[in-house]
Amino acid sequence: MANNDKNETLSPTDFLGKKYFDIGEKYFTGDGVTVDFARAASNYAQSAKLGYIPGIFSLGVCYIRGYGVKHDEHRAFELIKQAADAGNLDAQFTLGHFYFDGSVVERDHKKAAEIFRNAAEQGHPGGKNDLGFCYQRGLGVEADDERAFELFSEAAEDEFPAAQNNVGDCYNFGRGVERDPEKAFLYYYRAAQNGYEAAENNLGMCYLNGNGVKADYAQAVHWFEESGKLGNPVAVANLGFCYETGKGVEKSAEKAVKLYTISADASCAPGQYNLAKCCRDGNGTKEDKERAFTLFKRSADQAFPMAYGDLSICYRDGIGVRPDPELAEKYKKLAADAGYPLAEEKK
């Protein structure tokens, strides 16, 4: 686990603390040994007891992720704050996320943005990226898409994968910069090469739709698979779409349903929506109108726009639910406002 502390002359205590920390790093990364998070956490704990700041920070991260220790965000916060107060830049950046998310301390986007800004000014790529996110969403700072793009771009040049993906999004959707699908593709590709799962899915979408690159369904399938292996449920749903439509793979509604189910079980709105359609139509699975309605509703509850229209029709025609003209009209309007009017409303 990388840390940003400078190599300086160490006291005997810090020398021993660093020794435990280095052993922890080997077990955490599998450097010459089998990955063993329990041993990594144990060595980080010994390092932390000796007051070695990188060890304190790394133990905190283990508690955040539940690596080798029981997940405990309160204990993680204590350790991260201790390391941050001692000047560890990675810890300061991580501390910002506690205030941003509000899981342990009261949510405070302004304070989080200040912490991200401090990290960014010291050259931390994660700080630049997350400050950019704050500017893009207007969280803790005044919304400014151009400033967000600048920060994402700076972090992207530091080879920070999340920022590379965010720059790709900016070019893809024209946020803070003129839309340029070709540049979007290139930044998604850079992030995907760095193993960033969201970028791998986005790259798959580029190949699927011919966005910024010539359409190549086989490549789309490849990148959806790569992203899905890393646990991205959206990519799993997109892979299901490839099987349902026979793009890049042999067409199989049954395989599509299996993939949609995996995605839906992970509370992924696109997976829920696509599985709902299969259940409604009996495509690759037994027809089940009630299940279809439930899935459309779950997808719509996550503000997935495509689900609004189908949910409206369910309420209008009594598909899997008792007819309700008022709710049908509500979701019909939501669909139209989102740019997905009902088929009979399209001109």
Side-chain angles (χ1 to χ4, degrees):
M1 190 180 306
N3 71 88
N4 60 289
D5 285 41
K6 297 177 180 179
N7 291 321
E8 298 175 348
T9 302
L10 301 175
S11 68
T13 301
D14 276 353
F15 180 83
L16 184 57
K18 184 177 185 304
K19 183 177 179 181
Y20 279 117
F21 171 78
D22 289 342
I23 295 172
E25 289 286 86
K26 287 182 178 294
Y27 281 111
F28 192 92
T29 62
D31 182 12
V33 297
T34 301
V35 171
D36 188 328
F37 291 140
R39 287 191 176 185
S42 177
N43 279 281
Y44 290 149
Q46 291 297 322
S47 178
K49 285 181 181 178
L50 292 166
Y52 190 62
I53 303 305
I56 295 170
F57 168 68
S58 295
L59 181 61
V61 172
C62 287
Y63 275 107
I64 290 174
R65 300 178 179 174
Y67 287 172
V69 292
K70 185 177 180 180
H71 172 75
D72 186 338
E73 289 198 348
H74 287 85
R75 179 60 178 147
F77 177 77
E78 293 173 357
L79 291 161
I80 297 298
K81 189 174 187 307
Q82 183 181 348
D85 290 344
N88 184 282
L89 190 54
D90 290 329
Q92 291 172 359
F93 162 69
T94 305
L95 187 65
H97 282 273
F98 282 100
Y99 287 103
F100 190 90
D101 299 332
S103 57
V104 176
V105 293
E106 184 176 354
R107 179 174 291 169
D108 188 335
H109 288 148
K110 185 175 181 180
K111 186 174 182 64
E114 289 174 356
I115 293 173
F116 295 148
R117 186 187 306 281
N118 179 64
E121 289 175 349
Q122 296 181 68
H124 195 287
K128 296 174 185 177
N129 179 70
D130 287 6
L131 181 60
F133 183 84
C134 289
Y135 273 111
Q136 190 176 72
R137 301 298 177 89
L139 299 171
V141 294
E142 187 175 348
D144 186 336
D145 281 343
E146 291 184 3
R147 180 61 179 143
F149 175 73
E150 290 173 359
L151 288 160
F152 291 149
S153 297
E154 289 178 20
E157 294 312 305
D158 293 330
E159 294 301 318
F160 196 72
Q164 292 169 335
N165 182 69
N166 286 336
V167 173
D169 281 344
C170 289
Y171 278 119
N172 194 26
F173 301 106
R175 296 172 182 159
V177 67
E178 186 176 350
R179 188 172 185 273
D180 190 326
E182 288 77 17
K183 286 185 178 179
F185 170 81
L186 291 174
Y187 274 95
Y188 287 149
Y189 185 82
R190 287 175 62 184
Q193 289 297 307
N194 283 322
Y196 193 66
E197 64 180 59
E200 291 175 338
N201 176 67
N202 289 335
L203 194 60
M205 291 299 294
C206 289
Y207 279 115
L208 182 68
N209 298 319
N211 185 37
V213 67
K214 185 178 179 180
D216 186 329
Y217 296 147
Q219 279 293 307
V221 167
H222 167 74
W223 287 109
F224 291 148
E225 287 178 338
E226 290 300 303
S227 184
K229 289 175 186 177
L230 294 175
N232 188 335
V234 177
V236 174
N238 288 333
L239 183 60
F241 175 80
C242 290
Y243 275 101
E244 184 179 3
T245 57
K247 293 183 176 179
V249 290
E250 184 176 351
K251 188 174 182 178
S252 173
E254 290 74 18
K255 285 185 179 180
V257 166
K258 288 181 180 179
L259 290 162
Y260 291 152
T261 301
I262 292 170
S263 178
D265 287 347
S267 299
C268 174
Q272 292 167 339
Y273 174 72
N274 287 334
L275 181 59
K277 291 196 298 179
C278 291
C279 291
R280 180 194 63 195
D281 302 334
N283 183 29
T285 187
K286 183 179 179 180
E287 183 181 296
D288 189 335
K289 306 291 188 183
E290 291 183 359
R291 189 183 182 201
F293 165 77
T294 298
L295 288 162
F296 281 137
K297 182 67 165 59
R298 289 176 180 171
S299 183
D301 286 346
Q302 295 188 66
F304 189 65
M306 295 177 70
Y308 293 144
D310 292 274
L311 190 58
S312 173
I313 293 171
C314 286
Y315 279 118
R316 185 192 69 187
D317 298 341
I319 300 174
V321 66
R322 180 177 298 177
D324 188 323
E326 185 176 337
L327 286 175
E329 191 61 30
K330 170 188 172 181
Y331 284 103
K332 176 181 175 181
K333 185 177 186 307
L334 285 172
D337 290 346
Y340 292 93
L342 304 190
E344 57 266 35
E345 301 294 325
K346 295 178 181 178
K347 295 181 180 181

